[in-house]
Amino acid sequence: MRHSGAKRLYDALPLVYRILDAEQGQPLRELLGIIGEELDRVHQGIDQLYDDAFIETCREELVPYLGDLVGQPVEDTGGMLPHLQRLRVANALHHRRRKGRGDTLAQVIHEACGWSAVVLEDFRRLSTTQSVQHVKPEQGGSVDVRQLGEAPEPPVPFVAHGASVRGADDSVGPRGQLNLDHVRILLSRMQVYPVERTEPWRVADGRYTFHPLGLDTHLYMRRRWEAPRREIPATLELSLPFAPEALATEVSQARAWLREERQPGARHVGAQGSLEVLLGGKAVPAADMYVRDLEHWHLPGPSHVGLRSGQVHLEQLTYPSAELQVRLGEDGPHLLRLPHTAHASLSTIAQALEKALRAASSRPAFTRARVLPLGDHLLVLPGLPLEGDPVHFEPADDDAHSLHALGLSRGQARRAAVLVSHELTDAMDTQAQGTLRLRLGEAAPLELQVPLWESPEDMAHALQEQLAGHDGWHAHAQGDLLFVMAEDPDPAHYLRAEEAPQRDAARRLGLAPRVAVDVRRGRFALSLGTPAQAPRVTWAFGRVADVGAGPYPRGEDFRIPEQDAWYAEVGKALVTTSTQVHRFNTLSEALAAWTQAQETFRKGLIRIVDSATYVPPLGQPFHLLLRSASLRLEAIEGELPTLDGTLQVEAFGEENRLSVDGLQARGLTLDGRLQVKVAHCTLLGPLTSGPNTAWQEVEVKRSLLGPVRLEAGAAHLTLRDSLVRAQEEEALSGLAAGSVGPLTVMEHCTVVGKVYVEALELARECLFTRRVRVVRRQDSQLHWSALPWSSRELPRHRCLLFSAPKEEAGPGVIASAPGFVSLSFGEPGYGRLAEGGPAELRTAAADGGEPGVFHDVHEERRLATLQDVLEEYLPASLSVGVSFID
């Protein structure tokens, strides 16, 4: 460790001079301290000269000079991710030696633009006659089905195709994808933010959203770079939207390995992947997951509820046909007509009833319904799991006898809880005896032995023999499916299979509870009868930039606790017995403790250390009290805490300060005189003032907000790199509807909705989607912004007007209006300009970029960099087609 120059100079003096200096008050030490500062600067300059010789440690302004030395010119980035330029220079020689390869091109795109890329060489998939002297085994051919079954994850096979020379608007050069000189590049512009063990939002029993505030959002995954070459870093990951096909592939592979008693390697599902669902602290294995579209919240199997008929009397059926009405859940009643046959059997009646059910309605409950013969009885199952007591038969108006003949009247039929297995055609390939543990409702479990090597029919026979002494229990097989049934009139009781201590037959047979996952909407649903327990989820969401709440590093905004400040940590799993730090399990307790601590402390810091969801007591807002004090409420880096309620701040006295950082909440209410800073937050509801309209200074940075309601003359608002959105009313205005909002300064902001404020002191590189009104025009100025034609009376400089009449179109005025990928809070494309919009809008900022919240993404500059990369690294005579998959 090198000591300071002043200390080294002073220690070099003889001891006698240091003693004399100490006797006189150390004037010599002070003099050498001044000289030592200059000595330190000399040493720092020498050290920096050594660091400047290497691209990894040199100063930012020297990167272009090192780039010139290796033939990699670096242009002025204009603030666009300078670390990307450093990476291009660092790997320039490495990539130049490997030109012409798809994996090299993908990595160069990632380093140069910061986007994830997948390069597909479509010319390798053409059906061509190969040279016997240069055989290419990987060239497109027929599908190797053995390869699909043996791989950890079945790869996309190089299936041979004929050449395609059709045109496409998103390609460059020869525009057919499958062509001799064509390469496809799939780009994802999203940043992926993984969140671990959060509390999902409960929509209803067994139905949840991954987002803790109940928003639908497309899940994302971080996929390892699939390159066999050592020179490609194994840690490089691709940020891609989670596709249902990827999850389905992993689920099917897990089930295949389960049959072979092998442990599948986690890829997307599990602790090392991007998706995990935990029930009772245990992760749901991939074999128990089910890929499904949950738009209508259809629950997964294997648990169903059906109706077991009484004894069927075929001779009592009416002629020429039997009629009855049926209701499945809320759908119905529908009329069913069963044709009469001279020699009808229970099997033919079951088939006729099943056919009539499937034709009665287009709903899945009907189109997938099953009717099974059970001895002298019938079992009717809806096509998908329905809760409670979902099957009801009623007599038809013209036929009151057939319902009783089939044993389906209310007095004869009984509710049945049923488990339906997976298809078991070739599932059992082991000579093993499994234990099947069944539980009906909260009753004691019932353990059965299952011969796993037998066919479904033989397994059903073996189970039925063991169930002979249990009234109302049955086992049945139909084709490749195994059915286990228990009669129970209680609509709250369901049949479920639990994990047995020995060989778990439930999972191998597909009778274990399942979790249906919809990765496109960020939803999941549990099987009927799953024990009531709070699930936890690990998931990942996508966003273009670090805006709004997220587990990303926040840099200089993250501070260490001050020595004279009251410090507390909040976490649901924290141990609260620490004497060094105040620790609380709920945010409400921490805020109440801060209220008491203000008698001693004027500064406070409350840090939330997990990604849990905090709910205020009794449905009231979180109440924060400030008495001439300052408080910082923040999340630690890497976590995403959620406040399922509004944070209500009440301030008394002078010099009140509040800083909120890294949280997502329902809203924020400010009451009293205070200064507020909101950074890296997501507020679904309004940011508004309370009834006490004392002066309020509000600053918002890199946040996603709902409507902002602050009173004119009593507040000053500063917005930077943020997005403000309202549904129908004004996005930025006063407290009352249609009232005037505060003095406002905006920079790099997007406002979706109307604006009505006292004055826009400065609006720089902003995007306004609706009309902007100000009371004091002389105190307002808009620079390099985009706003509608209806706001043309505002004082502006180099601004773009859109939605103008066609006859008014000209320089700085366009007729088209901006469109957005999405205006839903949870969607990855929230607030992004849609593809194919007016080019003038994308280049309206002062530096040629797009105005609004995503100005610093510099997408246009990245696209220009991408074009340079393609020109340098694309093999000669090849054309390229670029597609965005985010």
Side-chain angles (χ1 to χ4, degrees):
M1 178 179 177
R2 177 188 293 173
H3 296 286
S4 65
K7 178 176 176 54
R8 287 190 292 135
L9 290 176
Y10 193 74
D11 291 343
L13 292 175
L15 179 61
V16 61
Y17 294 114
R18 283 181 281 168
I19 295 175
L20 294 175
D21 183 53
E23 293 176 353
Q24 300 180 29
Q26 296 185 333
L28 183 59
R29 187 187 187 99
E30 294 181 2
L31 175 63
L32 292 179
I34 299 174
I35 301 174
E37 292 178 0
E38 297 300 325
L39 180 62
D40 288 338
R41 293 190 182 96
V42 172
H43 280 294
Q44 290 175 2
I46 295 173
D47 294 340
Q48 186 62 51
L49 286 175
Y50 180 82
D51 292 341
D52 288 343
F54 304 96
I55 185 61
E56 294 86 354
T57 56
C58 71
R59 288 170 291 172
E60 199 65 48
E61 59 268 21
L62 296 181
V63 172
Y65 296 98
L66 293 179
D68 289 339
L69 293 178
V70 296
Q72 181 63 65
V74 176
E75 300 178 357
D76 180 17
T77 61
M80 184 199 75
L81 303 178
H83 68 276
L84 295 180
Q85 301 291 358
R86 184 186 294 267
L87 198 59
R88 286 190 72 185
V89 174
N91 294 333
L93 298 179
H94 177 274
H95 295 323
R96 208 167 286 150
R97 296 189 185 111
R98 293 163 177 81
K99 280 187 177 182
R101 286 176 25 184
D103 52 5
T104 301
L105 179 58
Q107 189 176 3
V108 172
I109 293 174
H110 178 77
E111 294 176 356
C113 305
W115 291 337
S116 298
V118 177
V119 177
L120 301 178
E121 298 172 327
D122 287 323
F123 57 84
R124 295 182 181 272
R125 301 167 63 187
L126 290 176
S127 55
T128 59
T129 302
Q130 298 195 38
S131 172
V132 294
Q133 297 180 354
H134 303 283
V135 179
K136 299 178 180 179
E138 73 280 2
Q139 195 73 22
S142 59
V143 179
D144 187 351
V145 293
R146 286 186 293 271
Q147 179 189 11
L148 295 180
E150 295 174 359
E153 177 177 337
V156 178
F158 286 102
V159 183
H161 293 268
S164 172
V165 294
R166 294 169 296 176
D169 294 336
D170 58 349
S171 300
V172 178
R175 299 169 186 259
Q177 291 182 351
L178 293 165
N179 208 333
L180 289 174
D181 54 357
H182 194 79
V183 174
R184 261 191 304 165
I185 298 179
L186 308 180
L187 289 179
S188 175
R189 294 165 288 190
M190 291 294 172
Q191 305 293 328
V192 175
Y193 304 93
V195 188
E196 297 184 357
R197 303 204 170 203
T198 63
E199 300 178 43
W201 172 263
R202 179 181 173 275
V203 178
D205 288 341
R207 300 166 176 85
Y208 299 87
T209 64
F210 282 88
H211 197 286
L213 289 178
L215 303 178
D216 285 348
T217 180
H218 196 138
L219 304 186
Y220 272 68
M221 63 182 179
R222 299 186 69 88
R223 193 180 69 174
R224 292 288 180 182
W225 190 278
E226 298 175 357
R229 308 285 183 176
R230 289 186 176 181
E231 56 266 21
I232 301 296
T235 56
L236 189 57
E237 296 176 331
L238 303 177
S239 304
L240 302 174
F242 215 135
E245 296 78 11
L247 181 58
T249 298
E250 185 162 351
V251 169
S252 61
Q253 189 65 49
R255 291 173 183 169
W257 283 9
L258 181 65
R259 295 194 297 267
E260 302 172 9
E261 298 186 352
R262 290 196 295 166
Q263 193 69 22
R267 183 163 183 78
H268 305 307
V269 179
Q272 304 300 322
S274 304
L275 177 63
E276 187 178 30
V277 179
L278 298 99
L279 297 176
K282 295 183 178 180
V284 176
D288 290 345
M289 287 191 174
Y290 188 63
V291 184
R292 196 162 194 173
D293 184 349
L294 295 179
E295 180 182 3
H296 302 292
W297 288 108
H298 294 157
L299 300 179
S303 181
H304 293 69
V305 177
L307 192 70
R308 201 211 76 165
S309 71
Q311 187 174 0
V312 179
H313 300 279
L314 300 178
E315 68 278 1
Q316 297 181 9
L317 292 177
T318 58
Y319 182 84
S321 63
E323 294 184 351
L324 61 159
Q325 297 186 87
V326 63
R327 183 191 301 271
L328 298 184
E330 301 297 327
D331 192 3
H334 295 283
L335 180 65
L336 305 181
R337 182 174 288 105
L338 280 64
H340 176 76
T341 57
H343 303 285
S345 64
L346 191 64
S347 178
T348 58
I349 289 296
Q351 294 176 6
L353 182 57
E354 180 178 297
K355 183 177 180 181
L357 278 171
R358 295 189 174 190
S361 173
S362 60
R363 300 289 181 88
F366 282 87
T367 59
R368 306 173 191 167
R370 295 188 184 98
V371 181
L372 310 178
L374 298 176
D376 296 334
H377 308 273
L378 294 174
L379 176 63
V380 182
L381 283 180
L384 48 84
L386 299 177
E387 297 171 279
D389 192 5
V391 184
H392 296 281
F393 285 93
E394 300 173 359
D397 296 337
D398 300 331
D399 187 353
H401 304 286
S402 296
L403 182 67
H404 298 280
L406 293 172
L408 295 173
S409 63
R410 293 181 183 271
Q412 299 170 291
R414 298 181 182 180
R415 178 183 181 273
V418 186
L419 290 179
V420 183
S421 73
H422 291 311
E423 295 182 359
L424 304 176
T425 304
D426 57 350
M428 303 299 103
D429 53 1
T430 178
Q431 299 291 322
Q433 189 85 6
T435 301
L436 184 61
R437 174 179 286 182
L438 303 176
R439 187 188 294 270
L440 180 61
E442 301 302 324
L446 179 64
E447 289 193 1
L448 306 174
Q449 301 302 314
V450 187
L452 297 177
W453 68 90
E454 299 285 1
S455 65
E457 185 175 353
D458 293 334
M459 282 190 287
H461 181 71
L463 292 175
Q464 187 62 43
E465 289 182 348
Q466 301 176 59
L467 293 172
H470 301 275
D471 187 32
W473 289 74
H474 304 275
H476 180 73
Q478 185 184 57
D480 301 331
L481 300 177
L482 176 66
F483 298 83
V484 182
M485 181 184 71
E487 299 175 14
D488 194 311
D490 193 330
H493 288 177
Y494 302 97
L495 184 63
R496 68 178 184 272
E498 299 180 340
E499 185 177 357
Q502 303 174 13
R503 185 188 302 274
D504 185 16
R507 182 162 291 116
R508 294 168 63 83
L509 296 172
L511 296 176
R514 304 174 201 164
V515 177
V517 180
D518 185 347
V519 295
R520 295 190 186 278
R521 293 182 175 85
R523 301 178 178 183
F524 70 96
L526 309 179
S527 297
L528 289 173
T530 303
Q533 49 192 337
R536 295 292 185 271
V537 291
T538 295
W539 57 293
F541 64 93
R543 199 175 288 159
V544 176
D546 296 342
V547 179
Y552 52 84
R554 301 193 294 275
E556 69 279 0
D557 291 335
F558 192 70
R559 307 171 184 175
I560 60 175
E562 299 181 21
Q563 295 183 353
D564 59 342
W566 182 83
Y567 176 56
E569 293 181 351
V570 178
K572 290 194 173 182
L574 287 179
V575 179
T576 59
T577 57
S578 173
T579 58
Q580 301 295 328
V581 179
H582 302 283
R583 293 182 173 176
F584 304 93
N585 296 127
T586 67
L587 180 60
S588 300
E589 294 176 354
L591 296 179
W594 162 247
T595 302
Q596 301 296 327
Q598 291 181 65
E599 298 178 0
T600 306
F601 297 91
R602 298 269 68 84
K603 297 180 181 180
L605 172 61
I606 299 178
R607 184 167 288 167
I608 303 178
V609 300
D610 59 9
S611 297
T613 300
Y614 295 90
V615 182
L618 303 176
Q620 300 296 319
F622 292 98
H623 187 260
L624 171 60
L625 185 64
L626 293 174
R627 296 192 183 96
S628 299
S630 62
L631 175 69
R632 181 176 177 85
L633 176 62
E634 68 179 12
I636 67 170
E637 291 184 355
E639 302 293 342
L640 181 60
T642 301
L643 309 186
D644 189 11
T646 300
L647 179 61
Q648 188 175 31
V649 184
E650 191 173 2
F652 297 95
E654 304 292 332
E655 298 298 327
N656 290 293
R657 293 184 176 88
L658 172 66
S659 178
V660 183
D661 194 350
L663 307 180
Q664 57 182 1
R666 295 288 181 184
L668 178 61
T669 302
L670 310 175
D671 196 353
R673 185 181 184 88
L674 75 164
Q675 298 180 12
V676 179
K677 181 178 180 181
V678 178
H680 307 280
C681 290
T682 298
L683 301 180
L684 299 188
L687 191 162
T688 181
S689 296
N692 183 6
T693 57
W695 180 257
Q696 296 171 350
E697 189 80 24
V698 181
E699 180 182 357
V700 180
K701 174 184 176 183
R702 304 193 73 83
S703 298
L704 303 176
L705 307 176
V708 178
R709 302 280 183 266
L710 299 175
E711 196 65 28
H716 185 274
L717 175 65
T718 302
L719 294 169
R720 291 189 174 90
D721 303 293
S722 299
L723 190 152
V724 182
R725 175 179 176 263
Q727 296 287 349
E728 299 295 337
E729 67 278 8
E730 290 88 354
L732 178 54
S733 65
L735 292 179
S739 61
V740 182
L743 293 170
T744 304
V745 174
M746 305 176 69
E747 184 176 3
H748 299 161
C749 292
T750 299
V751 183
V752 182
K754 298 179 181 178
V755 176
Y756 187 26
V757 294
E758 184 177 358
L760 277 175
E761 295 180 312
L762 176 64
R764 182 174 177 270
E765 296 179 329
C766 296
L767 172 61
F768 302 92
T769 63
R770 303 283 297 277
R771 185 181 179 187
V772 181
R773 293 189 296 164
V774 299
V775 176
R776 293 158 41 188
R777 296 183 186 177
Q778 67 276 11
D779 295 330
S780 303
Q781 50 182 336
L782 289 82
H783 292 197
W784 301 97
S785 298
L787 61 160
W789 171 259
S790 57
S791 305
R792 60 189 181 279
E793 73 279 359
L794 297 179
R796 60 188 188 277
H797 173 73
R798 298 293 184 90
C799 292
L800 175 69
L801 297 177
F802 54 82
S803 299
K806 292 184 178 181
E807 58 273 12
E808 299 290 343
V813 181
I814 59 176
S816 55
F820 294 92
V821 176
S822 175
L823 289 178
S824 298
F825 259 108
E827 291 298 322
Y830 177 59
R832 281 182 51 207
L833 291 176
E835 302 292 337
E840 296 88 346
L841 189 60
R842 293 185 174 275
T843 57
D847 57 357
E850 70 175 63
V853 62
F854 296 121
H855 169 269
D856 290 344
V857 175
H858 298 284
E859 184 169 325
E860 295 298 322
R861 289 179 179 267
R862 296 191 195 214
L863 291 174
T865 304
L866 173 63
Q867 188 64 35
D868 295 340
V869 168
L870 295 178
E871 292 178 359
E872 181 178 359
Y873 286 92
L874 192 68
S877 75
L878 290 185
S879 63
V880 63
V882 179
S883 301
F884 292 99
I885 57 175
D886 49 15

